Amino acid sequence: MIKATMVLEGGATRGVFTSGVLDYLMEQGLYTSHVIGVSAGACNGVDYVSRQIGRTRDCMIHKEREYSYYYGFRKFIREKSLMDMDMIFDRYPNEYFPFDYDTYFNSEMDCEMVTTNCETGQAEYMTERQDKARLMKICRASCSMPLVAPIVNVDGTPYLDGGLADSIPVGRAIELGNKRIIVVLTRNPGYRKKPTSQAVADLYRRAYKKYPELVRVTIRRNYEYNRQIRLVEQLEREGKIFVFSPRIPTVSRIEKDCDALKHFYEHGYQQAKKRHAELQAYLEKWQI
């Protein structure tokens, strides 16, 4: 295990790129002491800590209807969710694609999952080392995108997608004190998030009128995201962090095409393979 922090951006099904990167690194036996995952990055993060090569990939890429987690329009209206979150965070880990809780809970790696507190609008970096149900509930909260997934209550507090408050938690990684930081992005280099449109902002205000701080941070998300990505670019230029990012057009946030997902996964895997020596040189440079 290397004393370093792995930072994993979200992006829903774009996270399959991250799966490819991590699967290659796991095959090489490269594990970091700390992991911070946001949204889909949280799912990747827990599978990295449980050392389950291919699990996130298998959860995201499958043609069998029985494993489908997408609701149709009618169910979306009834369930107020675009995806079957019970399928993803209950039947997947406990039945279809078993999650290795024992390895996860016994790991020396520290894993934080980023959530957004609906009441404060602040990011929270949550952990769980014993309770299976609470672990999956935190992961679910981290992945619950606004407007298309319900709010998740953890310990009596409402949470949504961690990417709303902290999409790329490099600042958090720096706080942890590790000099070596690996960042896996799911957007192409140079990407900038566009401002929230007035129509979407009005939707947020109506949907979350009970949570004004959540509305505020959600509407202003592009400003914070773009500030973070500029920091990532600066630190990468200075050689202080190591960044993986896709170099081909990304898949959509809710991609259903299995071939497109496989291609994006393979791209992540090949990126890690191609840059493995470069990564090793970075890690040795900052060796403590």
Side-chain angles (χ1 to χ4, degrees):
M1 187 184 301
I2 297 168
K3 186 171 174 52
T5 301
M6 182 79 71
V7 176
L8 307 174
E9 185 184 11
T13 51
R14 284 194 298 272
V16 78
F17 170 83
T18 305
S19 305
V21 172
L22 294 182
D23 280 354
Y24 179 81
L25 297 183
M26 284 193 281
E27 288 176 0
Q28 306 310 307
L30 196 159
Y31 290 91
T32 59
S33 58
H34 294 76
V35 183
I36 310 173
V38 184
S39 195
C43 294
N44 272 298
V46 295
D47 287 343
Y48 180 59
V49 176
S50 68
R51 302 186 176 222
Q52 290 180 270
I53 298 172
R55 183 180 182 274
T56 309
R57 175 201 63 205
D58 293 343
C59 288
M60 286 188 169
I61 308 174
H62 40 70
K63 294 183 178 180
E64 297 86 352
R65 182 168 297 225
E66 63 183 303
Y67 300 143
S68 176
Y69 51 79
Y70 289 106
Y71 281 139
F73 180 73
R74 289 183 181 178
K75 276 196 172 183
F76 170 65
I77 297 299
R78 184 173 70 247
E79 303 289 340
K80 295 182 173 58
S81 180
L82 189 63
M83 295 174 286
D84 185 344
M85 303 297 271
D86 289 336
M87 169 76 83
I88 299 170
F89 296 104
D90 183 3
R91 290 191 289 281
Y92 272 14
N94 299 315
E95 298 176 35
Y96 299 145
F97 307 103
F99 180 75
D100 189 344
Y101 291 101
D102 289 339
T103 297
Y104 183 88
F105 290 140
N106 290 318
S107 176
E108 295 180 356
M109 301 167 71
D110 290 324
C111 182
E112 294 185 339
M113 294 160 280
V114 186
T115 59
T116 299
N117 185 313
C118 296
E119 295 174 340
T120 66
Q122 298 297 308
E124 293 188 14
Y125 308 91
M126 306 179 75
T127 62
E128 178 52 54
R129 304 294 304 205
Q130 294 180 320
D131 189 319
K132 296 178 181 180
R134 187 174 184 273
L135 173 65
M136 286 302 155
K137 183 173 279 191
I138 293 171
C139 204
R140 177 173 180 161
S142 183
C143 294
S144 291
M145 296 181 289
L147 303 179
V148 298
I151 287 172
V152 178
N153 283 286
V154 182
D155 305 329
T157 301
Y159 294 95
L160 274 178
D161 192 327
L164 300 176
D166 196 353
S167 296
I168 312 171
V170 171
R172 174 64 175 176
I174 293 172
E175 285 179 12
L176 293 177
N178 290 332
K179 291 186 178 295
R180 296 176 289 190
I181 299 172
I182 304 167
V183 180
V184 185
L185 302 177
T186 58
R187 291 285 196 176
N188 300 122
Y191 172 80
R192 293 293 186 273
K193 192 173 288 294
K194 296 178 181 179
T196 304
S197 70
Q198 187 61 51
V200 173
D202 289 341
L203 277 176
Y204 288 140
R205 292 188 181 100
R206 287 197 296 271
Y208 305 115
K209 58 185 177 182
K210 288 174 56 180
Y211 304 110
E213 290 303 314
L214 174 68
V215 172
R216 180 189 61 79
V217 75
T218 302
I219 291 175
R220 291 181 52 83
R221 184 184 180 193
N222 70 298
Y223 294 104
E224 181 62 18
Y225 181 92
N226 293 341
R227 182 193 67 79
Q228 289 178 320
I229 202 67
R230 288 194 296 270
L231 175 61
V232 167
E233 291 169 347
Q234 176 187 335
L235 294 174
E236 184 182 23
R237 285 194 300 270
E238 294 172 354
K240 294 179 178 178
I241 66 174
F242 191 93
V243 181
F244 288 106
S245 60
R247 304 307 170 103
I248 62 174
T250 65
V251 297
S252 70
R253 189 171 61 167
I254 307 179
E255 182 62 64
K256 297 181 182 180
D257 187 300
C258 288
D259 291 334
L261 290 170
K262 288 177 183 176
H263 183 59
F264 204 47
Y265 165 84
E266 185 62 27
H267 178 60
Y269 185 93
Q270 293 300 328
Q271 277 283 302
K273 183 177 182 180
K274 177 181 178 181
R275 302 188 64 205
H276 185 246
E278 187 182 349
L279 173 60
Q280 291 286 10
Y282 163 79
L283 294 172
E284 291 171 9
K285 172 184 175 183
W286 291 99
Q287 189 167 3
I288 300 171

